[in-house]
């Protein structure tokens, strides 16, 4: 298994035709989450993939509690190998809303964001890493519709988005759902700009 090292975390990667290989988006989210997280907090990562972002947090922060979810069984297995506690489920499905144990201070998501038509789908489980539906925002929109139920009062979310799907519709939706919104980091890479958007529950 190929292993990479980033900020004290050593991460074993799964086969790249089965599990999303961490890239600039993963690094941007991990760095933003490291800045945001404080010792002692309870963190949830949705769609952990190889476990890269969660493993970086676990390797660098003291006393955090962290769990993750992932829909792709190959990715869930890979994240477990990397020391991440993972529940294999669709977004929040296996978590009980309104239970104290499933209320978090910080929730992270690097969602599939590519606008994808039926013909553009990638075969197998890896499609979940890329396929954002025709708008590119279908999975992110489902996440945003549900996330409030899993946050503690004053809790925050960090989501990775791309200029391909656009900041304005995401910001508008988050504000309607009761979040104060700002962009905490941006990075231009070839044809797109990646952004980490923070939503703080008002
Ligand atoms: C762009 S990849 C990011 C992976 C990893 N968090 C990273 O930053 O390297 C998106 C991940 O979300 C997972 N995913 C997509 N839809 C999901 C859903 N409905 N529930 C849980 N995980 C999902 C995919 O399988 C994939 O592993």
């Amino acid at each position: 298994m190929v292993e990479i090292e980033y900020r004290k975390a050593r991460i074993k990667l799964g086969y790249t035709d089965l599990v999303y290989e961490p890239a600039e988006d993963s690094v941007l989210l991990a760095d933003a989450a490291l800045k945001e997280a404080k010792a002692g907090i309870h963190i949830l990562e949705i769609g952990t993939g190889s476990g890269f972002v969660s493993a970086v947090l676990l390797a660098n922060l003291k006393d955090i509690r962290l769990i993750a979810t992932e829909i792709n069984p190959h990715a869930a297995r890979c994240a477990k190998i990397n020391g991440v506690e993972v529940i294999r489920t669709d977004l929040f499905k296996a978590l009980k809303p309104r239970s104290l144990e499933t209320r978090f201070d910080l929730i992270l998501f690097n969602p599939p964001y590519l606008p994808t038509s039926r013909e553009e789908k990638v075969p197998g489980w890896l499609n979940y890493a890329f396929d954002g539906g025709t708008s590119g925002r279908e999975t992110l929109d489902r996440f945003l519709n549900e996330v409030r139920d899993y946050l503690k009062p004053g809790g925050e979310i960090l989501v990775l988005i791309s200029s391909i799907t656009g900041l304005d519709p995401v910001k508008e939706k988050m504000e309607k759902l009761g979040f104060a919104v700002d962009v905490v980091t941006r990075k231009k890479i070839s044809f797109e700009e990646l952004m980490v958007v923070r939503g703080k529950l008002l």
Side-chain angles (χ1 to χ4, degrees), residues 77-167:
R77 206 168 304 127
C78 182
K80 261 184 205 158
I81 289 169
N82 287 317
V84 180
E85 186 183 337
V86 193
I87 303 172
R88 199 194 143 216
T89 193
D90 179 6
L91 296 180
F92 302 94
K93 217 169 202 165
L95 305 173
K96 288 193 190 70
R98 284 175 274 281
S99 144
L100 263 189
E101 267 310 293
T102 54
R103 290 267 182 177
F104 299 87
D105 302 288
L106 179 63
I107 301 182
L108 313 170
F109 193 23
N110 176 9
Y113 62 71
L114 294 178
T116 308
S117 66
R118 192 185 287 261
E119 303 75 50
E120 288 167 323
K121 288 184 190 296
V122 170
W125 288 102
L126 191 62
N127 187 58
Y128 281 100
F130 305 111
D131 185 350
T134 47
S135 68
R137 290 189 301 274
E138 281 179 16
T139 307
L140 177 60
D141 282 347
R142 282 207 296 130
F143 166 89
L144 291 174
N145 288 336
E146 292 180 47
V147 70
R148 245 197 113 101
D149 284 346
Y150 299 89
L151 279 171
K152 289 184 187 166
E156 288 184 16
I157 63 174
L158 290 178
V159 290
L160 189 296
I161 67 158
S162 160
S163 51
I164 295 175
T165 43
L167 172 62

Side-chain angles (χ1 to χ4, degrees), residues 19-23 25-27 29 45-53 69-72 75 89-92 109-113 125-131 139 142:
V19 180
Y20 184 75
E21 187 175 355
D25 51 349
S26 320
V27 170
L29 183 60
E45 186 192 5
I46 300 291
T48 191
S50 63
F52 176 87
V53 174
T69 71
E70 173 55 58
I71 201 163
N72 171 349
T89 193
D90 179 6
L91 296 180
F92 302 94
F109 193 23
N110 176 9
Y113 62 71
W125 288 102
L126 191 62
N127 187 58
Y128 281 100
F130 305 111
D131 185 350
T139 307
R142 282 207 296 130

Side-chain angles (χ1 to χ4, degrees), residues 4 6 10 12 15 20 55-56 71 76 83 85 89 94 98 111 134 150 155 171 175 181 183 187-188 200 202:
I4 56 169
Y6 186 68
R10 295 183 72 81
K12 292 191 174 71
Y15 294 109
Y20 184 75
V56 169
I71 201 163
E85 186 183 337
T89 193
R98 284 175 274 281
T134 47
Y150 299 89
K171 190 166 181 274
E175 283 170 350
V181 182
V183 176
K187 187 172 185 188
K188 279 212 164 80
K200 195 168 169 46
L202 291 170

